[in-house]
């Protein structure tokens, strides 16, 4: 970041000039923003190291006019913990972040006081996932914030691509203690005036909210009314005590609806609604979004709900198969009710998914043949997912832990890709004739799904605090991963035996020690780099489909899915420990997986 205030102000002014001439109809992608920032740095003969900072400045300037159109009471002001005076800070923490005591020892209280006086909602939580949840939940429509530069660079991918107006001021250091910021900039940002105006830049926020609203109790009761019981769905998950006085026949329905209404990103129903919108004019992302979304036929909404219902059924069954303890912050269904009841609840959700598709209303604009095509697509996806899950389970229970990279990728294509394909196809088919798009949908979804699953495996080895506690269990004898297959492919015979021994239940090392050894072997064989190259290859293939597809609204959705689904984790380097492992040529591994 530029060291002097004078240089920072000069560059910020230049970014504002550039932003004035950028088209405002759609959000900029990260690549587009990077190109503009690089060009600006080259013109000013400034170093590459300023690139991330420049991108934040350009993004903030780009969104300033859109943010003005949002009243302060619909804005969120995000502050980092590290601005606090670390020694003796009396603040307490809860699930949403830090509760400032306004002791006067740091600038947090001053900024917070000004923002609250203007009507902002304020959150003190560094890079918290709760931010997007607050936005999608409908509580705010724009974000202003202070954060360290690397957090803001990540936010460009996660938040801005969705079309959420956002302005930010980077911290002057990333020390995580007693940090400083250009305070006058923060003051100016908070005081950004409210100037009513219609939405100019397209945004997916309204569709995200519509997808989440499908599983609110009022919408569930309207689109998929319960037959057996009207027992209210409450914040705490259903358990044996809460259903004790309920009719036993009605209990299964109640547990299923309770689980369906609980948690999740609702990405699959979002994709269905967005794909439908893309082939019917794209107005759900524009200035008339709320009115246009309200006119979406209930048949389309039920199709979107059905895909999520099938997904929830698979989660109930997966949690049993993997004996996972928690789901959505609550004990898993089988931990609350036992495996037999959980299996039955999963089966009920499958039946409910098909019932959602079979229902129709008077005056329904969706033709019966379209509904049949969607049903066939979802049935095919269900079969393929079961084949992939079956292959994974059979491998997990075998004594031979050897695996070829190509076989792992085949499992990924079966387990992960069908959900993307079914969600896209359903929305497009209900909008009209999707047959010309069938090949493109399948190619795009297969590559997106495989790349997503590889990244999901890599995230087990990241320092992400949200990473699964069971990462070691997944890796060592848990399920077939392409990382495991790439390592076996790169090792000589002795190295393979050492890796295979780490997956043996009789191994004397603790699970943590075995996982650490696996991580070290993966580093020594270059597995992480090879896996990321595979991600790049599949991403390029997905983007090639997006490049060629029409109309523009559908192309933009495909790009959005690539940019938001394929988030690369940071893999830390391990301590240097000699394991006596030798790698065969990685070139051979690359040829196998190409």
């Amino acid at each position: 970041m530029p060291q002097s205030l004078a240089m920072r102000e000069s560059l910020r002014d230049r970014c504002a000039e550039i932003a004035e001439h950028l088209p405002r109809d759609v959000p900029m992608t990260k690549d587009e923003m990077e190109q503009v920032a690089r060009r600006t740095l080259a013109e000013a003969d400034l170093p590459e190291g300023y690139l991330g900072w420049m991108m934040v400045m350009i993004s903030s300037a780009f969104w300033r006019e859109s943010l003005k159109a949002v009243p302060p009471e619909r804005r969120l002001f995000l502050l980092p913990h590290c601005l606090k005076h670390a020694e003796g800070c009396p603040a307490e923490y809860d699930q949403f972040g830090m509760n400032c005591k306004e002791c006067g020892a740091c600038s947090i209280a001053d900024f917070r006081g000004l923002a609250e006086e203007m009507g902002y909602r304020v959150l003190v939580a560094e890079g918290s996932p709760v931010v997007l949840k607050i936005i999608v939940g409908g509580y705010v429509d724009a974000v202003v914030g202070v954060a360290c530069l690397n957090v803001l660079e990540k936010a460009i991918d996660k938040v801005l691509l969705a079309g959420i107006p956002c302005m930010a001021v980077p911290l002057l250091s990333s020390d995580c203690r007693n940090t400083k910021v250009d305070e006058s900039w923060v003051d100016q940002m908070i005081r950004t005036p409210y100037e009513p105006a219609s939405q100019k830049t397209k945004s997916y926020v309204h569709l995200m909210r519509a997808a989440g609203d499908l599983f609110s109790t009022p919408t569930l009761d309207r689109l998929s009314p319960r037959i057996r019981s009207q027992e209210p769905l409450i914040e705490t998950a259903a358990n044996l005590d809460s259903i004790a006085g309920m009719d036993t026949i009605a209990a299964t329905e109640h547990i299923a609806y309770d689980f369906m209404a609980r948690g999740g990103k609702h990405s699959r129903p979002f994709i269905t609604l967005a794909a439908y919108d893309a082939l019917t004019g794209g107005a759900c992302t524009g200035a008339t979004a709320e009115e246009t979304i309200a006119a979406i036929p209930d048949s389309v909404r039920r199709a979107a709900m059905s895909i999520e219902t099938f997904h929830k059924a698979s989660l109930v069954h997966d949690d049993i198969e993997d004996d996972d303890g928690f789901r959505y912050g609550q004990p898993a269904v089988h931990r609350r009710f036992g495996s037999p009841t959980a299996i039955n609840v999963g089966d009920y959700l499958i039946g409910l998914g098909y019932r959602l598709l079979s229902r129709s209303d008077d005056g329904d604009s969706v033709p019966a043949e379209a509904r049949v095509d969607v049903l066939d697509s979802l049935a095919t996806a269900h079969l393929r997912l079961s084949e992939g899950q079956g292959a994974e389970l059979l491998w997990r229970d075998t004594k031979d832990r050897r695996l070829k990279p190509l076989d792992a990728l085949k499992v990924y294509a079966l387990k992960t890709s069908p959900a993307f394909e079914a969600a896209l196809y359903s929305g497009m088919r209900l909008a009209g004739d999707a047959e010309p798009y069938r090949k493109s949908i399948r190619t795009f979804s297969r590559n997106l799904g495989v790349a997503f699953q590889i990244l999901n495996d890599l995230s087990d080895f990241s320092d992400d605090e949200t990473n699964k506690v069971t990462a070691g269990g997944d890796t060592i004898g848990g399920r077939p991963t392409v990382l495991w297959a790439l390592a076996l492919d790169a090792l000589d015979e002795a190295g393979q035996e050492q890796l295979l021994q780490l997956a043996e239940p009789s191994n004397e090392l603790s699970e943590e020690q075995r996982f650490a050894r696996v991580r070290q072997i993966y580093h020594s064989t270059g597995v992480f780099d090879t896996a990321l190259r595979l991600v790049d290859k599949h991403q390029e293939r997905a983007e090639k489909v997006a490049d060629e597809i029409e109309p523009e609204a559908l192309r933009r959705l495909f790009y959005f899915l690539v940019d938001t689904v394929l988030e690369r984790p940071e893999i830390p380097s391990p301590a240097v420990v000699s394991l006596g492992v030798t790698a065969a040529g990685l070139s051979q591994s690359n040829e196998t997986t190409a």
Side-chain angles (χ1 to χ4, degrees), residues 52-102:
W53 187 87
M54 290 289 288
M55 290 173 66
V56 173
M57 292 297 103
I58 292 170
S59 175
S60 294
F62 177 88
W63 286 107
R64 178 177 167 79
E65 292 304 312
S66 294
L67 189 132
K68 283 183 179 181
V70 178
E73 60 271 19
R74 298 290 299 171
R75 301 177 190 174
L76 174 69
F77 180 43
L78 182 65
L79 279 165
H81 303 154
C82 53
L83 269 176
K84 73 180 182 182
H85 190 270
E87 288 74 23
C89 175
E92 298 175 350
Y93 290 82
D94 61 20
Q95 60 179 323
F96 297 109
M98 188 180 91
N99 292 315
C100 175
K101 298 298 183 182
E102 301 185 13

Side-chain angles (χ1 to χ4, degrees), residues 417-536:
S417 303
F420 291 116
E421 182 178 343
L424 282 168
Y425 178 83
S426 297
M428 295 166 70
R429 179 64 184 95
L430 294 173
D433 183 10
E435 193 59 34
Y437 298 101
R438 189 180 285 276
K439 182 178 179 182
S440 296
I441 295 170
R442 172 155 293 190
T443 302
F444 176 83
S445 300
R446 182 175 63 249
N447 286 286
L448 185 71
V450 169
F452 169 79
Q453 191 58 59
I454 297 171
L455 289 171
N456 188 61
D457 291 340
L458 286 168
S459 70
D460 280 354
F461 295 86
S462 74
D463 279 342
D464 185 0
E465 292 181 357
T466 64
N467 186 29
K468 291 171 60 179
V469 176
T470 56
D474 284 346
T475 302
I476 302 169
R479 60 187 179 84
T481 72
V482 75
L483 306 180
W484 182 268
L486 289 171
L488 287 172
D489 209 43
L491 291 165
D492 62 14
E493 187 173 345
Q496 289 177 10
E497 286 304 317
Q498 184 174 128
L499 180 60
L500 291 168
Q501 281 298 315
L502 292 171
E504 290 295 328
S506 59
N507 193 295
E508 295 181 355
L509 296 176
S510 69
E511 185 172 297
E512 291 77 11
Q513 290 173 320
R514 291 156 69 196
F515 184 62
R517 291 286 185 94
V518 170
R519 182 201 295 267
Q520 292 162 355
I521 291 173
Y522 285 2
H523 271 287
S524 71
T525 53
V527 160
F528 296 127
D529 290 337
T530 306
L532 286 171
R533 288 197 293 273
L534 279 174
V535 172
D536 290 339

Side-chain angles (χ1 to χ4, degrees), residues 4 60 133 152 336 524 592:
S4 73
S60 294
K133 185 179 290 186
L152 293 175
R336 284 181 273 141
S524 71
T592 304

Side-chain angles (χ1 to χ4, degrees), residues 332-580:
V333 176
H334 72 285
R335 292 292 183 92
R336 284 181 273 141
F337 299 100
S339 293
T341 295
I343 292 170
N344 188 59
V345 167
D347 291 344
Y348 181 94
L349 287 168
I350 293 170
L352 180 59
Y354 286 115
R355 192 183 77 179
L356 283 164
L357 287 170
S358 66
R359 289 192 58 193
S360 61
D361 301 302
D362 292 338
D364 193 342
S365 61
V366 175
E369 57 269 24
R371 200 190 310 275
V372 170
D373 288 343
V374 169
L375 182 65
D376 181 69
S377 172
L378 289 171
T380 300
H382 199 161
L383 291 171
R384 290 167 61 202
L385 185 149
S386 298
E387 289 173 339
Q389 180 72 354
E392 181 175 298
L393 293 172
L394 289 169
W395 183 88
R396 187 182 70 180
D397 295 336
T398 188
K399 293 182 179 180
D400 185 2
R401 296 295 183 192
R402 297 181 186 276
L403 181 71
K404 293 294 184 182
L406 186 58
D407 292 331
L409 295 176
K410 286 178 179 178
V411 172
Y412 289 1
L414 286 169
K415 277 203 64 177
T416 309
S417 303
F420 291 116
E421 182 178 343
L424 282 168
Y425 178 83
S426 297
M428 295 166 70
R429 179 64 184 95
L430 294 173
D433 183 10
E435 193 59 34
Y437 298 101
R438 189 180 285 276
K439 182 178 179 182
S440 296
I441 295 170
R442 172 155 293 190
T443 302
F444 176 83
S445 300
R446 182 175 63 249
N447 286 286
L448 185 71
V450 169
F452 169 79
Q453 191 58 59
I454 297 171
L455 289 171
N456 188 61
D457 291 340
L458 286 168
S459 70
D460 280 354
F461 295 86
S462 74
D463 279 342
D464 185 0
E465 292 181 357
T466 64
N467 186 29
K468 291 171 60 179
V469 176
T470 56
D474 284 346
T475 302
I476 302 169
R479 60 187 179 84
T481 72
V482 75
L483 306 180
W484 182 268
L486 289 171
L488 287 172
D489 209 43
L491 291 165
D492 62 14
E493 187 173 345
Q496 289 177 10
E497 286 304 317
Q498 184 174 128
L499 180 60
L500 291 168
Q501 281 298 315
L502 292 171
E504 290 295 328
S506 59
N507 193 295
E508 295 181 355
L509 296 176
S510 69
E511 185 172 297
E512 291 77 11
Q513 290 173 320
R514 291 156 69 196
F515 184 62
R517 291 286 185 94
V518 170
R519 182 201 295 267
Q520 292 162 355
I521 291 173
Y522 285 2
H523 271 287
S524 71
T525 53
V527 160
F528 296 127
D529 290 337
T530 306
L532 286 171
R533 288 197 293 273
L534 279 174
V535 172
D536 290 339
K537 182 184 75 172
H538 287 285
Q539 179 172 337
E540 288 170 5
R541 290 176 177 175
E543 288 175 340
K544 186 175 186 299
V545 176
D547 289 340
E548 298 171 355
I549 206 159
E550 295 286 351
E552 187 273 335
L554 187 60
R555 183 166 63 251
R556 188 165 65 89
L557 174 61
F558 277 29
Y559 288 141
F560 176 73
L561 293 175
V562 170
D563 288 332
T564 53
V565 169
L566 303 184
E567 180 187 355
R568 284 158 171 72
E570 296 181 8
I571 309 297
S573 298
V576 179
V577 178
S578 176
L579 294 173

